[in-house]
Amino acid sequence: MLSATQIESYQTNGYLVVDNVLSEAQVAELNALIDHAVERSIHVESNDDMYDLEPGHSKARPRVRGIRDPLALAPPFEEVSRSEAVLDIVESVVGPNIRHELSFINIKPAGGGSPVQWHQDFGILPYTNDDLVVCGLALTDSSIRNGCLQVIPGSHRGPILDHHQDGVMIGAVQEHTPGFDLDHAVPVEVPAGGMSLHHFRILHGSAPNHSDSDRRVYFLDYAAADAFPIAKKIAPAEFDQRIVRGTSTRQARMIPLNFPIPNRERRANVLFHLQAGLREPVYS
């Protein structure tokens, strides 16, 4: 569990770094599994249900920027997602009844790994309440040099900004978006084996990786069991299966919050693809 000081810091700033969540052996095991997955990607020529490929990917030079379903990749990824080390921390910020929402391995290859444009997760996928947290388990040192997460502290307590372009969901805010001020952005550097937590409403993004080493993060999204997505089909039986601690519920808890309802005329299942049409990216 987090200490009272850590919880207060998270609630105030909207993010937190916790060291030594994974052991060196766990980090080595997960990296070895990712290595094998990247090697297998030489047989893949376009994005599929498992791989999201970096521009320039080829058989001679495999470049993977995302593995979409880590739980299906190998059992150790699911074991980590349900581990006490992770769930004890998550319980400290979302409560005792926890549903696993999403998992994704983000790889920023050396020499230009793709950026993630600035956004709020809640602005893309709103819920009935905001007790959701994104955990980023660092499988390599994550630093400003290799394109680590950046956040605007305290922005999770502000408004949900518009993530549309020409009235269609683009999955990002633009520099001229009212309420968006990059002057307050800070890097969230995490050593290998550590974990970052960021609130579902916080403004965040990450620059390209121009260093000479890859950056790897295993992202896990968790929600309080009574937080239900508003603009997404709800399958109660499936939601019950994703309870990783505590009990499920059919009662949605609502909070008063105004936000633009996402217009999903432009469909994309991966954030990189959703943001690809952004005319004025902060990072290029």
Side-chain angles (χ1 to χ4, degrees):
M1 293 287 186
L2 298 178
S3 69
T5 300
Q6 288 174 310
I7 294 171
E8 181 181 7
S9 177
Y10 174 81
Q11 292 173 341
T12 300
N13 297 306
Y15 75 98
L16 186 72
V17 173
V18 183
D19 292 339
N20 301 315
V21 176
L22 296 179
S23 68
E24 290 185 9
Q26 286 176 303
V27 170
E29 180 181 35
L30 297 183
N31 273 317
L33 292 167
I34 294 172
D35 288 340
H36 291 313
V38 172
E39 289 170 8
R40 292 195 298 272
S41 75
I42 64 172
H43 304 295
V44 178
E45 296 182 354
S46 60
N47 300 319
D48 61 16
D49 291 340
M50 179 62 71
Y51 294 104
D52 186 55
L53 303 175
E54 187 78 26
H57 168 85
S58 68
K59 183 176 291 188
R61 189 181 181 221
R63 289 171 67 81
V64 176
R65 68 182 175 188
I67 297 175
R68 300 188 192 184
D69 190 7
L71 302 192
L73 185 63
F77 288 100
E78 181 165 12
E79 291 166 8
V80 167
S81 75
R82 293 175 174 268
S83 67
E84 288 190 3
V86 171
L87 295 182
D88 284 350
I89 294 170
V90 173
E91 181 174 340
S92 296
V93 297
V94 306
N97 301 312
I98 304 169
R99 188 176 65 247
H100 176 215
E101 290 292 270
L102 179 70
S103 58
F104 184 78
I105 295 169
N106 178 223
I107 306 170
K108 284 193 179 181
S114 292
V116 177
Q117 304 298 333
W118 283 83
H119 66 284
Q120 295 165 291
D121 298 312
F122 197 102
I124 301 169
L125 182 60
Y127 280 70
T128 58
N129 66 68
D130 62 357
D131 279 332
L132 297 101
V133 64
V134 180
C135 300
L137 287 153
L139 301 181
T140 60
D141 290 341
S142 188
S143 70
I144 192 68
R145 289 186 62 253
N146 62 13
C148 71
L149 174 74
Q150 297 185 57
V151 303
I152 298 179
S155 57
H156 67 300
R157 293 180 280 114
I160 304 301
L161 304 186
D162 192 357
H163 289 64
H164 293 78
Q165 178 177 274
D166 300 330
V168 178
M169 172 57 64
I170 198 72
V173 298
Q174 299 168 68
E175 285 195 77
H176 58 75
T177 302
F180 178 45
D181 185 358
L182 266 178
D183 290 342
H184 300 293
V186 299
V188 182
E189 298 188 305
V190 187
M195 184 171 81
S196 67
L197 291 79
H198 69 264
H199 194 281
F200 213 64
R201 284 172 56 179
I202 200 169
L203 278 158
H204 63 287
S206 60
N209 177 10
H210 293 303
S211 76
D212 58 2
S213 59
D214 291 357
R215 167 186 170 256
R216 292 178 174 181
V217 182
Y218 178 26
F219 283 108
L220 293 160
D221 294 11
Y222 296 96
D226 58 4
F228 290 91
I230 291 173
K232 180 181 177 182
K233 182 178 178 181
I234 295 175
E238 181 209 344
F239 276 34
D240 291 348
Q241 292 173 357
R242 289 195 273 112
I243 294 294
V244 290
R245 178 170 287 187
T247 58
S248 186
T249 181
R250 295 290 185 271
Q251 299 295 311
R253 177 168 50 88
M254 305 291 292
I255 60 171
L257 186 64
N258 296 323
F259 53 86
I261 288 292
N263 179 349
R264 299 193 177 278
E265 291 179 19
R266 184 170 176 271
R267 297 185 178 276
N269 294 324
V270 176
L271 186 59
F272 291 114
H273 305 167
L274 190 62
Q275 295 182 344
L278 189 64
R279 287 193 297 268
E280 300 177 13
V282 174
Y283 299 123
S284 57

